[in-house]
Amino acid sequence: MTKLPKSKVVGAALLLLLIAFVVVAQTPLSSWPFYVDVNTTGSTGLHQVTVPLEVMGKGRDDLGDLRLVDGDNHETPYGIRIRKDTSEEREFGAQVFNEVTVGPSTEATVDLGPSVTEHNEVQVQTAGTDFRRRVVVEGSDSSSQWRTLNSDGVIFRFQANGSGVESNAISYPTSRYRYVRVRVSRDELSDDGAPDIVGVSVKMSVHEEGRLTTWDVLVPSYELNRNQGAHSASWTLDFGSRLPCDRLTLNIADESFYRPFEVEVADDPQTPRLIANGYLTRRAGEEPKPITIRFNQEEHVQKLRLRIIDYANQTLTIQGIKASAPARELVFQLNKQQSAPLRLFFGNPKIGEPHYDFERELSEKLKVTPAEDSVGDVVKNLAYVPEPLPFTERLPWLIYLVLAGSSLALAWILLSLARTTLRTTPKETNEASGTN
């Protein structure tokens, strides 16, 4: 039997050890540097947890790097719900009939059809301008027996100096009545008779109030500067990490003021970007409530610059600042009871989105109210293996070594060429002299 050389045996053993080390090091959870425990009730069903600031500040803007793992190290699909204020309207195709005048009022009835679904708002268009008219809304299944849905609705329309204001929507408790009747009374100050109803439409209007994540921001010292020649003061706000934000709330001590302001993204001081402007106002004698500045849209930022133009006034005294953004809720389904907390891994912005099917079905699943869970403190993942640095960053000295070696080699070549040239030149000179 032929024996393998000892060097080959040692080399094979080292290779196997290296492969084993790589396999052990690169576990499924080794790509995330941090995690938090998700403390659930342990019961099956739909759950949700509000994503904390520490998680949002260390991951991708869209939170696509999050991974939720149960006690058996199985990945749990989830969906992210951003709790913005939402409004949704659905208008019914309807037929208007029985428009009649009853004394100082005009009535019109709307037939929503036999397959009517829920509705909670009627919009009434009437002729004229500069009026305020009372509206009564009623509902019926048979168009003979009516129940009052709203007895003190108001519609109005006013115009002045080329601009106007108008409201023609009347809301009422969610109903399924097939017939809706509106009665519009004349404005005793501006109408000579019963008003003309131009159109009536019935809608289902749903408004869902959002939910905010709010945190305190350190109020830094202000800097005095000029803005288009006017005296101003600016505060550079640092969140400490990149976070979503769509508003600032200022607690200002001064009794009264009227000052223009600007808010800019200041992550790159050389290229600030304006995201909000307007006026900060408070009249003398008013209750000193906090003032909220809403941005044009939500921003993912670390630094903001608030600039207030003071002109010849004293700089405002800002006692406190809060930043807010629509809350991010992580929604997931537990199909079996859990005795241990789940773990939410995060902190690697290079990880791609998981594209769970669960997220595509989230709106349907949220018809059931999820159980509210909580999270623990941020913990460093001991199994984390950082992505290897590029070769040039791991061995930066190697570049200089290669350059030095190349320079020495080039110098040796040049020196060799020079010596060869010096030896050849005298020989050629002697040969030329002998020929002469």
Side-chain angles (χ1 to χ4, degrees):
M1 181 177 177
T2 304
K3 291 186 177 181
L4 292 173
K6 188 175 181 179
S7 59
K8 289 187 177 181
V9 174
V10 173
L14 290 174
L15 180 61
L16 289 174
L17 285 173
L18 179 62
I19 293 173
F21 173 78
V22 171
V23 170
V24 171
Q26 296 297 329
T27 64
L29 304 177
S30 62
S31 298
W32 290 269
F34 307 102
Y35 69 85
V36 291
D37 284 339
V38 178
N39 304 304
T40 70
T41 58
S43 60
T44 60
L46 199 65
H47 292 250
Q48 74 177 22
V49 63
T50 301
V51 180
L53 289 175
E54 294 84 353
V55 174
M56 290 193 286
K58 295 181 183 298
R60 290 172 39 151
D61 289 350
D62 61 1
L63 302 180
D65 62 314
L66 303 188
R67 295 296 185 272
L68 184 64
V69 178
D70 64 16
D72 298 324
N73 278 349
H74 293 152
E75 199 168 316
T76 302
Y78 66 83
I80 297 292
R81 176 165 63 156
I82 302 177
R83 295 296 302 273
K84 297 180 179 179
D85 289 346
T86 58
S87 296
E88 182 180 351
E89 288 186 350
R90 181 167 57 87
E91 185 171 346
F92 290 82
Q95 177 185 0
V96 181
F97 65 101
N98 286 352
E99 183 175 339
V100 296
T101 300
V102 182
S105 305
T106 302
E107 288 184 357
T109 303
V110 179
D111 182 1
L112 301 177
S115 58
V116 61
T117 56
E118 293 180 339
H119 50 87
N120 62 4
E121 182 179 288
V122 61
Q123 289 193 331
V124 185
Q125 299 285 349
T126 57
T129 187
D130 296 332
F131 62 79
R132 185 180 184 276
R133 296 165 178 157
R134 294 181 61 86
V135 180
V136 175
V137 183
E138 299 171 309
S140 173
D141 289 324
S142 61
S143 75
S144 58
Q145 295 182 337
W146 296 91
R147 291 183 176 274
T148 301
L149 300 177
N150 190 328
S151 60
D152 57 357
V154 174
I155 59 175
F156 58 86
R157 182 185 301 127
F158 295 98
Q159 290 184 338
N161 301 323
S163 61
V165 60
E166 178 179 10
S167 175
N168 53 30
I170 308 296
S171 60
Y172 49 85
T174 300
S175 307
R176 285 180 173 267
Y177 291 116
R178 172 175 177 174
Y179 300 96
V180 176
R181 183 170 69 184
V182 296
R183 183 186 308 117
V184 184
S185 301
R186 72 181 182 92
D187 184 336
E188 296 179 355
L189 298 178
S190 61
D191 292 334
D192 296 328
D196 293 330
I197 297 179
V198 178
V200 180
S201 60
V202 177
K203 298 181 177 183
M204 180 63 190
S205 179
V206 178
H207 175 75
E208 183 178 356
E209 190 170 348
R211 183 177 175 185
L212 293 176
T213 293
T214 301
W215 64 98
D216 291 315
V217 180
L218 177 67
V219 181
S221 301
Y222 59 82
E223 298 179 2
L224 296 176
N225 43 49
R226 286 183 174 271
N227 183 272
Q228 298 181 353
H231 291 285
S232 64
S234 62
W235 293 257
T236 300
L237 313 179
D238 192 342
F239 297 161
S241 59
R242 186 175 169 86
L243 295 172
C245 182
D246 72 348
R247 70 195 71 184
L248 294 174
T249 302
L250 310 181
N251 186 3
I252 301 176
D254 301 71
E255 181 181 359
S256 63
F257 47 84
Y258 183 85
R259 311 282 175 88
F261 76 88
E262 296 177 345
V263 179
E264 298 174 330
V265 173
D267 287 341
D268 183 356
Q270 303 303 319
T271 57
R273 178 167 54 86
L274 183 68
I275 58 174
N277 60 355
Y279 289 87
L280 303 175
T281 64
R282 179 183 293 161
R283 294 182 178 180
E286 283 186 358
E287 183 181 352
K289 296 180 179 179
I291 297 175
T292 298
I293 298 172
R294 294 178 180 267
F295 304 163
N296 300 327
Q297 62 183 17
E298 184 181 79
E299 302 285 345
H300 282 81
V301 296
Q302 178 173 339
K303 293 183 179 181
L304 293 174
R305 181 177 294 114
L306 169 65
R307 180 180 292 111
I308 300 176
I309 293 85
D310 297 313
Y311 299 107
N313 302 292
Q314 292 289 329
T315 301
L316 294 180
T317 302
I318 299 180
Q319 295 179 323
I321 300 177
K322 293 181 181 292
S324 302
R328 270 65 173 167
E329 293 176 344
L330 186 139
V331 184
F332 57 96
Q333 180 89 27
L334 290 182
N335 297 320
K336 65 177 184 178
Q337 290 188 344
Q338 300 288 321
S339 58
L342 282 73
R343 285 184 173 177
L344 180 62
F345 289 83
F346 63 95
N348 188 345
K350 294 183 179 179
I351 293 291
E353 295 182 65
H355 295 289
Y356 295 124
D357 292 335
F358 180 89
E359 187 162 22
R360 299 179 184 274
E361 305 164 356
L362 187 58
S363 58
E364 184 68 22
K365 292 182 180 296
L366 284 171
K367 291 181 179 179
V368 177
T369 302
E372 189 75 34
D373 298 328
S374 62
V375 299
D377 296 330
V378 175
V379 179
K380 289 186 177 181
N381 181 15
L382 298 180
Y384 173 60
V385 178
E387 183 178 336
L389 295 172
F391 189 73
T392 54
E393 292 186 28
R394 281 182 285 166
L395 302 172
W397 52 266
L398 188 60
I399 298 176
Y400 301 103
L401 183 61
V402 171
L403 289 175
S406 301
S407 301
L408 291 173
L410 181 59
W412 182 81
I413 292 171
L414 292 175
L415 183 60
S416 299
L417 290 175
R419 286 178 177 177
T420 303
T421 303
L422 290 174
R423 291 196 195 101
T424 304
T425 302
K427 185 177 179 180
E428 291 177 349
T429 302
N430 292 335
E431 290 177 355
S433 300
T435 303
N436 292 335

